[in-house]
Amino acid sequence: MAKRRTLKRSITVICTELFAEGVAASLENEHPENAEALLSSIIKMERNFICRISHVEPGMEAKTYFKDLIEQFNAQVIELVDQINNG
């Protein structure tokens, strides 16, 4: 398992890149409401996962918890990338 600090930093870097791509895509998009919703969902996702790193679910083994957390994060990132690409 990676250090929590490293995991938080990785999530922040990925979300920052997603946000930048979302802003770039919004400049080409004709629907600003969709872009605003996408950007706010990226920010909410980042906050959610950073908070979840700091507070491990009680009764769950840490290794299992973080593996599941990373899988959920990756799934949401893929979903957001698809939304950005589809405009």
Side-chain angles (χ1 to χ4, degrees), residues 7-72:
L7 190 54
K8 286 180 182 180
R9 191 172 297 138
S10 297
I11 287 174
T12 301
V13 168
I14 291 169
C15 289
T16 302
E17 291 294 322
L18 276 175
F19 193 85
E21 289 295 321
V23 169
S26 72
L27 295 175
E28 300 170 1
N29 196 349
E30 298 174 3
H31 306 287
E33 312 85 34
N34 295 343
E36 289 177 16
L38 177 70
L39 296 176
S40 67
S41 68
I42 293 171
I43 292 169
K44 289 177 186 176
M45 181 185 73
E46 179 183 10
R47 287 182 187 162
N48 178 33
F49 279 98
I50 297 242
C51 285
R52 288 175 61 191
I53 290 171
S54 298
H55 305 288
V56 178
E57 208 171 294
M60 191 173 199
E61 186 179 326
K63 185 175 181 177
T64 306
Y65 177 77
F66 285 110
K67 183 178 179 182
D68 183 52
L69 183 95
I70 292 169
E71 287 175 1
Q72 289 177 8

